Amino acid sequence: MRWGSYFCAMKNSPIGVFDSGYGGLTVLKEIVKQLPEYDYLYLGDNARAPYGQRSFDTVYQYTLECVEWFFQQGCELVILACNTASAKALRNIQQKDLPKIDTHKRVLGVIRPSTEIIGNYSHTGAVGILGTAGTVLSNSYPIEMHQFFPDIAVFQQACPMWVPLIENGEFDSEGADYFVQKYLDELLGQSPKIDTILLACTHYPLLINKIKQYLPAGISLVSQGEIVAKSLAQYLDNHQDMSKRISQTGSLQFFTTDSATDFDNHASLFFGKEVKSAHIFL
Ligand code: DGL
């Protein structure tokens, strides 16, 4: 049986949560904590992860394929819980694809909710952004932050080794120390005024203990999970038409484009609980 017909028969309309791999699970964990009543469908495109170093066109094409899959499963709302996909694919999907696919469906990202609020954390007016090369090169953070906090200076640092370290289970190893210190030094070397750092990649919360170890006192470290969850709660409050279309039985389902066994073995580190996933081909 195709998954599409399975969900259709159940008249299930979960919220889709997407990431290139496991990182989005750190966001889903916070979303479920705040909004446990809804149904959720998680998809990790593990077979093609990491997205961080991939071209704009490739990230857009992969993300669109995943979004279309969510729509086939009955999702009305999809959250790109991936900064790289939010930076490189979201605008095109919202402006070019959604009008052709279905004007009632929505795809939201993680950059807007983060940039709306992160400026409030800084007293010095200098915020640091740590992200993948794709996120940093897209300049999405400085551009969006300027809309909400025109007086805040934004400094960015790409951390291309962090996702591979995390995906390979090396986030707690001594080997990770070198790259944590290196990228932090490079970011903080850009301005002595930085007092707030955003982890602008949904994988990075796994490195939080190591990052704190090398972080000078007085600098706040902010992860996105809670911010995105609060923003989604607000969005659903403000869009009753959408919240009523989402099924509410508190179910959670996990899918991966790579091995389900591998996914299940790694996912609990990100999600905080055991998960049982199924494999899909895209
Ligand atoms: N978790 C993704 C993000 O938030 C990045 C992982 C990747 O490079 O695929 O940007």
Side-chain angles (χ1 to χ4, degrees):
M1 175 165 55
R2 288 171 58 89
W3 283 110
S5 49
Y6 172 71
F7 284 111
C8 191
M10 286 180 64
K11 289 197 174 45
N12 199 5
S13 179
I15 296 175
V17 178
F18 169 73
D19 184 49
S20 59
Y22 302 107
L25 292 167
T26 64
V27 175
L28 179 63
K29 178 166 90 179
E30 297 300 329
I31 293 178
V32 173
K33 226 186 261 173
Q34 284 194 39
L35 299 164
E37 65 276 28
Y38 291 102
D39 294 331
Y40 297 95
L41 202 60
Y42 183 88
L43 175 62
D45 191 9
N46 298 78
R48 303 186 289 195
Y51 279 13
Q53 309 283 92
R54 295 195 187 276
S55 71
F56 183 95
D57 285 342
T58 302
V59 172
Y60 165 54
Q61 195 205 312
Y62 287 177
T63 307
L64 179 59
E65 281 170 21
C66 293
V67 165
E68 284 172 336
W69 178 84
F70 279 114
F71 289 165
Q72 284 158 18
Q73 314 314 313
C75 297
E76 298 285 327
L77 174 64
V78 176
I79 311 295
L80 303 184
C82 173
N83 288 268
T84 313
S86 299
K88 291 186 159 184
L90 181 61
R91 183 186 287 256
N92 261 351
I93 291 175
Q94 286 176 333
Q95 295 180 356
K96 271 184 34 201
D97 302 300
L98 272 184
K100 284 187 258 164
I101 300 172
D102 186 334
T103 51
H104 294 103
K105 294 192 189 279
R106 290 288 174 270
V107 181
L108 305 174
V110 288
I111 296 180
R112 171 59 65 99
S114 309
T115 52
E116 271 174 3
I117 198 157
I118 190 71
N120 293 332
Y121 289 72
S122 175
H123 300 293
T124 59
V127 169
I129 304 291
L130 294 170
T132 64
T135 299
V136 167
L137 287 173
S138 75
N139 254 341
S140 300
Y141 272 93
I143 293 167
E144 292 220 16
M145 276 195 64
H146 189 71
Q147 290 176 30
F148 301 110
F149 300 98
D151 298 329
I152 297 252
V154 182
F155 300 90
Q156 304 188 90
Q157 179 61 45
C159 312
M161 288 303 291
W162 284 8
V163 169
L165 281 167
I166 292 166
E167 294 254 325
N168 286 292
E170 296 287 341
F171 53 88
D172 237 355
S173 72
E174 278 176 27
D177 286 66
Y178 173 81
F179 286 106
V180 167
Q181 196 171 11
K182 174 180 160 68
Y183 298 141
L184 266 187
D185 286 352
E186 283 172 12
L187 175 67
L188 296 174
Q190 294 180 43
S191 166
K193 281 180 67 190
I194 296 172
D195 70 345
T196 304
I197 295 179
L198 176 71
L199 298 181
C201 170
T202 55
H203 281 67
Y204 295 174
L206 264 82
L207 279 173
I208 207 155
N209 291 335
K210 279 234 186 288
I211 299 170
K212 281 184 180 158
Q213 214 175 304
Y214 291 101
L215 201 64
I219 299 182
S220 334
L221 196 58
V222 183
S223 314
Q224 293 177 303
E226 237 177 282
I227 294 173
V228 173
K230 265 193 199 137
S231 166
L232 177 61
Q234 190 74 56
Y235 175 86
L236 292 170
D237 243 18
N238 294 341
H239 296 83
Q240 290 294 320
D241 54 321
M242 174 57 82
S243 62
K244 285 193 186 115
R245 277 151 58 208
I246 300 167
S247 47
Q248 300 193 25
T249 65
S251 76
L252 273 171
Q253 289 175 296
F254 299 87
F255 295 87
T256 174
T257 54
D258 208 343
S259 149
T261 311
D262 285 353
F263 188 90
D264 298 353
N265 287 340
H266 288 94
S268 60
L269 284 169
F270 295 79
F271 192 58
K273 274 186 207 156
E274 294 296 314
V275 316
K276 192 99 198 82
S277 65
H279 172 261
I280 59 150
F281 280 109
L282 281 180

